[in-house]
């Protein structure tokens, strides 16, 4: 390319010199700009990343949407159930479990060489009604939960790579979430959560165990509470392997704030899981919103930034980046206010790769 440009310059100088000899005003011959085509990579996400690339999935989508299943098998190497591995979908009555959806998901994963991240054993919104209404004291309640965890984790021992043992127990300021089943029942809720980590570890000693929450990189109080809990567990001999940050953010979220919060989270030294990533473009939830190129680029920059952040982690802290869904047409955000005007993922409604995919791939590189 340099040789071509140099030749053009030489020709221009020769032409100019000829004009001088004939006493004419020198004329500069314009050199047209050289268009450099963009580098297009045919590599897939899982071919570039040195850690797992995960997606949240629904069994109905795996069964009934061939394009969904094909994209999962092609672009991802880890899956998480969007909701079908949560307690209220499995524990239908005392000593009664419905594992049919989980069995399907596990079999799909094994047939297609996909890892499985279990989500989630404890979540305040997933306790089944029969358990909440059983009138149990703290000892009886914990015994029930212990049996559930050990039955569940033990059933999939060696088949589920990792578990979110607990999900969303802290407020943004670091205080415990006020809810009836854990915070409202135990004098030491963190102690109860720690024992649940132990029950999961006893059922499958090889599984990686995580605490998962949202808004972590923006809320310093929540980060501090999570790190302090991990320190407490470690001192007590309770296994906790990693921390999950959901990464449900917007194109308007400050990248510098994300970066500094992420660095603070990583200072825990534990495995870090970007566990539920998506990026809202319709930041005002407007029913009149129209997806545009400017917002597509902002979303691309968001995904590129988080991939670069994650790549910069020490190798022993990299676990996975999981997007919360695969295609815009089935994102959980479309069930929220004006959600039909939301486009938060890497693939559009027709499974075409969006600029967000390109940005994410570039960040992984």
């Amino acid at each position: 390319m340099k040789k071509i440009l140099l030749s053009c310059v030489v020709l221009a100088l020769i032409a100019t010199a000829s004009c001088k000899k004939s006493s004419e005003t020198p004329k500069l011959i314009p050199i047209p700009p050289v268009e450099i085509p963009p580098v297009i990579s045919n590599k897939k996400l899982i071919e570039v990343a040195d850690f797992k690339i995960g997606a949240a999935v629904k069994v109905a989508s795996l069964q009934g949407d061939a394009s969904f299943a094909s994209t999962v098998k092609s672009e991802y190497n880890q899956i998480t159930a969007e909701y079908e591995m949560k307690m209220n979908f499995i524990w239908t009555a005392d000593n009664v479990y419905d594992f049919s959806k989980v069995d399907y998901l596990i079999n799909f994963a094994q047939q297609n060489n996909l890892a499985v991240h279990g989500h989630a054993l404890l979540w305040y919104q997933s306790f089944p009604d029969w358990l909440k209404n059983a009138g149990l004291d703290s000892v009886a309640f914990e015994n029930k939960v212990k049996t559930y965890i050990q039955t569940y984790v033990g059933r999939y021992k060696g088949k589920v790579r990792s578990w979110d043992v607990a999900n969303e127990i802290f407020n943004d300021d670091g205080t415990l979430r006020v809810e009836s089943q854990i915070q409202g029942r135990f004098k030491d809720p963190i102690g109860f959560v720690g024992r649940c980590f132990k029950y999961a570890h006893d059922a499958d000693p090889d599984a990686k165990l995580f605490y998962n929450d949202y808004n972590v990189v923006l809320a310093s109080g929540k980060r501090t509470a999570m790190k302090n809990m991990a320190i407490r567990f470690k001192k007590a001999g309770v296994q906790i392997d990693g921390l999950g940050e959901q990464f449900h953010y917007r194109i308007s979220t400050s990248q510098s704030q994300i970066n500094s919060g992420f660095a603070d989270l990583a200072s825990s030294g534990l495995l870090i899981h970007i566990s539920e990533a998506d990026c809202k473009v319709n930041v005002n939830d407007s029913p009149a919103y129209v997806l545009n190129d400017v917002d597509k680029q902002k979303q691309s920059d968001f995904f590129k930034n988080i991939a670069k952040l994650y790549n910069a982690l020490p190798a022993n802290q990299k676990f996975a980046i999981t997007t919360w869904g695969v295609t815009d047409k089935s994102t959980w955000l479309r069930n929220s206010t004006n959600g039909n005007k939301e486009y938060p993922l890497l693939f559009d409604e027709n499974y075409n790769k969006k600029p967000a995919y390109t940005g994410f791939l570039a960040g992984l590189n």
Side-chain angles (χ1 to χ4, degrees):
M1 185 64 70
K2 290 182 178 179
K3 291 181 179 179
I4 294 172
L5 292 175
L6 182 59
S7 299
C8 293
V9 171
V10 171
L11 290 173
L13 291 174
I14 292 172
T16 302
S18 300
C19 291
K20 286 181 178 178
K21 288 180 181 179
S22 60
S23 300
E24 294 179 5
T25 303
K27 295 180 180 179
L28 293 177
I29 300 174
I31 302 173
V34 178
E35 296 290 338
I36 302 176
V39 177
I40 299 175
S41 173
N42 291 322
K43 288 190 175 181
K44 298 173 182 176
L45 302 175
I46 56 175
E47 295 172 337
V48 174
D50 59 358
F51 47 84
K52 295 292 187 186
I53 300 295
V57 301
K58 303 182 187 77
V59 169
S61 296
L62 293 175
Q63 292 175 326
D65 185 340
S67 295
F68 184 95
S70 175
T71 302
V72 169
K73 290 186 285 187
S74 174
E75 295 285 346
Y76 299 91
N77 51 18
Q78 179 168 292
I79 55 175
T80 300
E82 191 165 326
Y83 60 84
E84 289 153 321
M85 290 183 76
K86 292 173 180 172
M87 186 184 286
N88 54 320
F89 289 94
I90 294 169
W91 203 8
T92 58
D94 194 9
N95 297 318
V96 179
Y97 305 93
D98 180 1
F99 290 118
S100 57
K101 296 290 179 65
V102 185
D103 285 345
Y104 183 91
L105 187 145
I106 298 294
N107 290 336
F108 178 89
Q110 291 188 315
Q111 291 166 8
N112 294 288
N113 197 30
L114 302 169
V116 177
H117 177 70
H119 175 80
L121 296 177
L122 292 179
W123 184 40
Y124 73 101
Q125 290 192 29
S126 70
F127 289 109
D129 288 340
W130 73 263
L131 180 64
K132 291 189 289 186
N133 298 329
L136 303 174
D137 63 17
S138 61
V139 174
F141 179 88
E142 182 168 338
N143 284 334
K144 294 288 185 187
V145 171
K146 176 182 178 181
T147 299
Y148 166 78
I149 290 174
Q150 294 192 329
T151 300
Y152 188 11
V153 175
R155 179 183 179 89
Y156 299 109
K157 180 180 179 179
K159 297 179 180 179
V160 174
R161 174 195 188 203
S162 50
W163 292 91
D164 288 331
V165 175
N167 189 54
E168 299 175 5
I169 68 172
F170 295 111
N171 296 312
D172 280 359
D173 64 1
T175 58
L176 284 167
R177 181 184 297 279
V178 177
E179 48 78 34
S180 61
Q181 300 307 302
I182 300 176
Q183 196 267 359
R185 193 186 302 270
F186 292 90
K187 293 180 179 179
D188 179 13
I190 299 298
F192 165 72
V193 171
R195 292 190 294 276
C196 289
F197 270 81
K198 183 179 183 302
Y199 302 147
H201 175 68
D202 290 345
D204 186 354
D206 294 328
K208 300 295 184 184
L209 305 181
F210 284 78
Y211 173 73
N212 189 58
D213 217 319
Y214 65 89
N215 210 36
V216 178
V217 297
L218 302 186
S220 60
K222 181 175 285 187
R223 285 198 309 276
T224 299
M226 289 168 61
K227 292 194 296 180
N228 287 343
M229 181 176 69
I231 291 169
R232 174 180 169 176
F233 286 178
K234 291 288 188 181
K235 286 182 177 179
V238 174
Q239 177 175 325
I240 178 171
D241 299 288
L243 300 174
E245 157 49 304
Q246 294 178 16
F247 261 82
H248 295 299
Y249 294 117
R250 301 165 175 241
I251 56 173
S252 56
T253 306
S254 166
Q255 285 195 356
S256 62
Q257 197 172 356
I258 287 175
N259 295 355
S260 60
F262 190 80
D264 183 42
L265 181 66
S267 71
S268 66
L270 297 171
L271 287 169
I272 302 297
H273 184 194
I274 294 181
S275 58
E276 304 181 20
D278 53 27
C279 181
K280 287 191 69 170
V281 289
N282 184 4
V283 296
N284 296 315
D285 293 324
S286 169
Y289 177 80
V290 176
L291 184 62
N292 57 77
D293 288 343
V294 172
D295 288 351
K296 286 179 183 179
Q297 185 59 50
K298 289 179 181 178
Q299 188 182 62
S300 179
D301 293 342
F302 170 87
F303 277 103
K304 181 177 181 179
N305 183 56
I306 66 171
K308 290 177 67 175
L309 278 178
Y310 201 83
N311 254 342
L313 285 174
N316 64 354
Q317 286 189 266
K318 294 179 184 179
F319 176 75
I321 297 178
T322 296
T323 59
W324 206 243
V326 174
T327 167
D328 287 343
K329 74 176 181 179
S330 58
T331 170
W332 71 286
L333 289 168
R334 292 200 173 182
N335 294 322
S336 60
T337 304
N338 298 317
N340 61 317
K341 296 290 186 178
E342 191 49 72
Y343 313 86
L345 293 165
L346 305 180
F347 295 88
D348 68 14
E349 292 89 339
N350 298 311
Y351 295 95
N352 296 312
K353 296 174 182 177
K354 295 164 55 181
Y357 180 101
T358 306
F360 192 42
L361 186 65
L364 292 174
N365 275 311

